[in-house]
């Protein structure tokens, strides 16, 4: 089990709950289901069109760049990894649309003493902890691959009417989790793709990992 990843996962579950409350507020009775559905479709189309107005964000430490709908909020924490084994740093950035759609970038920066050679195990552990974050969570899909030529795992979790799409990948000693949490919609895959496709490594992280660059995935 990854140390302290539950700090991030608790935040993801909390944000999903906020979206669920927002949905209940907008659709308080069964009588309004059809109207709410029509409004939801319009909102989804508007949300996809609005991605053209997203702005590029890069944190002060210049570890990454990404397009987001609004300036994100940031939470950070450093905790001892093990006695005498250095610190693990946690950073979470989340940006929320007016309709409750939430985009999140989570980072876990491990100390040099942490063995990250078994990338698949680390990625699977992060997914399993997110899945265990709520009794209502159900794993819908998961697929291993690469992202920016680094080991990656894509997965989707359903929590009642909330869909959580995540991509987790390991770069050197840094674990990233890109997450979109939203009321279930036909456009969630498009929104998630725009979000993740906009992600780039910042110069600081490129510098930190230049000695650990992976062999590019083979192409046919």
């Amino acid at each position: 089990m990854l140390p302290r990843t539950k700090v991030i996962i608790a935040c993801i579950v909390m944000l999903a709950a906020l979206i669920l409350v927002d949905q209940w507020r907008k659709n308080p009775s069964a009588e309004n289901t059809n109207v709410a559905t029509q409004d939801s479709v319009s909102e989804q189309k508007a949300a996809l069109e609005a991605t053209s107005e997203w702005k590029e964000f890069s944190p002060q430490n210049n570890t990454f760049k990404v397009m987001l709908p609004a300036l994100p909020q940031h939470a950070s924490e450093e905790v001892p990894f093990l006695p005498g084994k250095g610190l693990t740093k946690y950073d979470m950035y989340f940006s929320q649309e007016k309709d409750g759609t939430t985009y999140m970038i989570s980072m876990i920066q491990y100390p040099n003493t942490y063995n990250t050679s078994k990338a698949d195990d680390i990625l699977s552990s992060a997914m399993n902890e997110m899945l265990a974050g709520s009794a209502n969570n159900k794993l819908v899909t998961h697929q291993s691959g690469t992202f920016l030529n680094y080991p990656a795992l894509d997965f989707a979790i359903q929590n009642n009417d909330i869909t959580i799409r995540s991509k987790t990948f390991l770069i050197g000693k840094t674990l990233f989790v890109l997450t979109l949490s939203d009321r279930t919609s036909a456009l969630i895959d498009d929104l998630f793709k725009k979000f993740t496709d906009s992600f780039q490594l910042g110069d600081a992280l490129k510098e930190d990992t230049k000695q650990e660059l992976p062999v590019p995935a083979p192409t046919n």
Side-chain angles (χ1 to χ4, degrees), residues 23-44 183-184:
Q23 181 187 30
W24 175 84
R25 178 178 61 80
K26 291 181 178 180
N27 185 22
S29 67
E31 295 177 359
N32 295 326
T33 298
N34 291 334
V35 175
T37 300
Q38 294 173 358
D39 290 344
S40 178
V41 171
S42 298
E43 289 174 2
Q44 292 163 19
R183 290 173 291 163
T184 301

Side-chain angles (χ1 to χ4, degrees), residues 3-202:
R4 300 281 297 188
T5 53
K6 291 181 180 179
V7 173
I8 291 174
I9 292 158
C11 292
I12 293 173
V13 173
M14 177 187 68
L15 289 171
L18 290 175
I19 297 171
L20 186 61
V21 171
D22 179 72
Q23 181 187 30
W24 175 84
R25 178 178 61 80
K26 291 181 178 180
N27 185 22
S29 67
E31 295 177 359
N32 295 326
T33 298
N34 291 334
V35 175
T37 300
Q38 294 173 358
D39 290 344
S40 178
V41 171
S42 298
E43 289 174 2
Q44 292 163 19
K45 291 180 179 179
L48 190 57
E49 292 173 357
T51 58
S52 62
E53 300 177 1
W54 286 6
K55 305 297 183 183
E56 184 178 83
F57 168 76
S58 180
Q60 289 185 349
N61 60 14
N62 199 23
T63 48
F64 65 86
K65 297 177 182 179
V66 71
M67 301 296 288
L68 292 170
L71 186 67
Q73 299 184 54
H74 176 221
S76 182
E77 183 181 13
E78 286 188 352
V79 297
F81 179 72
L82 288 172
K85 298 294 185 180
L87 298 174
T88 303
K89 184 178 181 182
Y90 302 87
D91 287 282
M92 183 180 69
Y93 304 84
F94 62 95
S95 175
Q96 193 169 46
E97 299 267 24
K98 291 181 180 179
D99 65 356
T101 305
T102 302
Y103 301 85
M104 187 180 308
I105 303 99
S106 305
M107 294 174 59
I108 304 175
Q109 295 175 285
Y110 297 111
N112 290 332
T113 55
Y114 186 60
N115 183 2
T116 55
S117 61
K118 295 182 178 180
D120 290 343
D121 291 345
I122 293 174
L123 300 176
S124 295
S125 181
M127 178 187 72
N128 290 333
E129 284 200 17
M130 286 184 64
L131 188 61
S134 169
N136 294 323
N137 283 348
K138 294 183 179 180
L139 184 63
V140 180
T141 62
H142 64 97
Q143 182 174 2
S144 298
T146 59
F147 182 66
L148 304 177
N149 284 330
Y150 292 93
L153 178 64
D154 283 78
F155 56 95
I157 293 173
Q158 195 72 31
N159 185 318
N160 296 321
D161 292 331
I162 303 300
T163 299
I164 301 171
R165 284 292 311 274
S166 286
K167 180 188 292 290
T168 181
F169 50 98
L170 187 66
I171 300 178
K173 300 294 184 181
T174 302
L175 177 70
F176 281 91
V177 186
L178 306 183
T179 302
L180 187 159
S181 182
D182 192 13
R183 290 173 291 163
T184 301
S185 78
L187 298 178
I188 191 168
D189 289 341
D190 294 324
L191 292 172
F192 186 67
K193 186 176 188 302
K194 281 183 172 288
F195 171 47
T196 56
D197 282 355
S198 74
F199 184 92
Q200 303 176 50
L201 295 185

